[in-house]
């Protein structure tokens, strides 16, 4: 399809294990965002990629969290040594560049639900 | 600190009624706001947006009102239908260094009773 694709849709892991979550953005979208959504909560910004610029990592909650993106394609969010408080839905979104003068909607994937036991 | 928040976490309405979902923001420099709808088990979907140089914008059955004086945003849904049941988020475009990040509020759960 032409939408944002995330995998896996569900992931159950044991405390202390590492997990990788994948996001395939819409082709041509230069901006890519990762958000975290805990149960019954809003969307918490994690990291933002825009083209070849340095990513905005200001939302990453700890050094256990990292993300990569190759060019304007796939992104991977990695959580090392998972903790129970990492349990959440991790949402990826892509858009055309969101700058000072322009606006644009974010297109979200359906998320990866992470459960840490 | 800067924040985007919602007054009501849950709103229950009867089918056919009009719904109003409210949002307060604290960053007076924000110049762009968006409403998203999130159905259960899905990612948020764009509904409507508004720039800060506007007071009102209308879409299909939805209207967004912006009151910059009191930093308040609302989403009005006309003739609410059961398919409108979802969580609604307002978001503002926040500057973060040299980039712009959509910052979301907690959300309001809209429940439409047939």
């Amino acid at each position: 399809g032409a939408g944002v694709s995330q995998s896996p849709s569900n992931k159950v892991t044991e405390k202390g294990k590492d997990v990788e979550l994948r996001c395939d953005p819409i082709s041509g979208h230069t901006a890519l965002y990762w958000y975290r959504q805990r149960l019954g909560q809003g969307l918490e910004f994690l990291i933002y990629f825009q083209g070849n610029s340095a990513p905005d990592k200001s939302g990453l909650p700890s050094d256990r969290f990292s993300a990569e993106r190759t060019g304007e394609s796939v992104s991977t969010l990695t959580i090392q040594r998972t903790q129970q408080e990492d349990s959440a839905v991790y949402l990826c979104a892509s858009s055309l560049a969101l700058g000072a003068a322009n606006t644009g909607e974010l297109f979200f994937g359906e998320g990866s639900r992470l459960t840490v036991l | 600190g800067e924040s985007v928040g919602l007054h009501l976490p849950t709103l229950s309405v009867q089918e056919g009624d009009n719904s109003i979902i409210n949002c307060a923001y604290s960053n007076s420099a924000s110049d762009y706001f968006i409403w998203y709808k999130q159905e259960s088990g899905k990612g948020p979907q764009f509904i409507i947006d508004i720039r800060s140089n506007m007071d009102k914008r209308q879409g299909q059955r939805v209207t967004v009102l912006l009151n910059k004086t009191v930093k308040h945003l609302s989403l009005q849904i006309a003739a609410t239908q059961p398919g409108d049941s979802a969580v609604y988020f307002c978001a503002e475009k926040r500057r973060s260094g040299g980039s712009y990040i959509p910052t979301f509020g907690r959300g309001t759960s809209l429940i439409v009773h047939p």
Side-chain angles (χ1 to χ4, degrees):
Chain A
V4 176
S5 178
Q6 291 188 246
S7 62
S9 56
N10 280 285
K11 176 71 176 178
V12 180
T13 191
E14 294 180 346
K15 178 182 174 181
K17 301 284 189 182
D18 297 351
V19 296
E20 280 191 356
L21 307 176
R22 177 187 168 105
C23 174
D24 282 272
I26 293 173
S27 179
H29 280 186
T30 57
L32 187 147
Y33 310 77
W34 282 99
Y35 288 86
R36 177 170 69 180
Q37 185 176 31
R38 291 194 167 111
L39 185 64
Q41 300 297 313
L43 278 67
E44 177 187 358
F45 166 73
L46 296 177
I47 189 168
Y48 163 66
F49 295 91
Q50 171 55 49
N52 294 319
S53 301
D56 182 333
K57 303 179 181 180
S58 61
L60 294 178
S62 76
D63 59 7
R64 296 188 295 105
F65 288 72
S66 63
E68 293 183 348
R69 186 184 188 194
T70 305
E72 295 182 356
S73 61
V74 171
S75 176
T76 302
L77 177 68
T78 301
I79 308 173
Q80 295 179 309
R81 305 181 301 283
T82 52
Q83 303 295 313
Q84 289 184 332
E85 63 262 28
D86 299 335
S87 295
V89 175
Y90 290 83
L91 289 160
C92 175
S94 70
S95 74
L96 298 172
L98 187 66
N102 64 312
T103 60
E105 64 179 283
L106 270 60
F107 293 82
F108 282 87
E110 297 201 339
S112 292
R113 181 178 297 276
L114 175 65
T115 303
V116 182
L117 301 177
Chain B
E2 299 173 359
S3 66
V4 178
L6 296 174
H7 293 303
L8 299 174
T10 304
L11 178 63
S12 292
V13 300
Q14 291 295 127
E15 181 178 1
D17 288 351
N18 295 332
S19 302
I20 300 176
I21 300 171
N22 296 304
C23 178
Y25 64 95
S26 58
N27 184 358
S28 58
S30 293
D31 62 359
Y32 176 60
F33 303 89
I34 320 105
W35 281 99
Y36 284 86
K37 172 186 180 182
Q38 185 177 29
E39 296 176 335
S40 180
K42 297 186 177 181
Q45 287 187 301
F46 174 91
I47 302 173
I48 192 168
D49 59 359
I50 188 167
R51 290 180 182 268
S52 60
N53 61 356
M54 302 171 69
D55 297 322
K56 178 180 180 179
R57 191 169 188 212
Q58 289 185 296
Q60 186 177 10
R61 283 201 306 117
V62 295
T63 301
V64 55
L65 299 178
L66 176 62
N67 185 331
K68 294 181 287 294
T69 302
V70 295
K71 290 182 281 189
H72 183 268
L73 193 69
S74 68
L75 177 70
Q76 300 179 358
I77 305 174
T80 315
Q81 302 169 359
D84 295 327
S85 294
V87 177
Y88 290 80
F89 295 95
C90 67
E92 63 177 337
K93 187 178 77 172
R94 172 182 63 87
R95 182 156 190 165
S96 175
S99 57
Y100 288 83
I101 309 295
T103 302
F104 289 77
R106 182 183 171 192
T108 291
S109 176
L110 176 64
I111 300 172
V112 182
H113 301 281

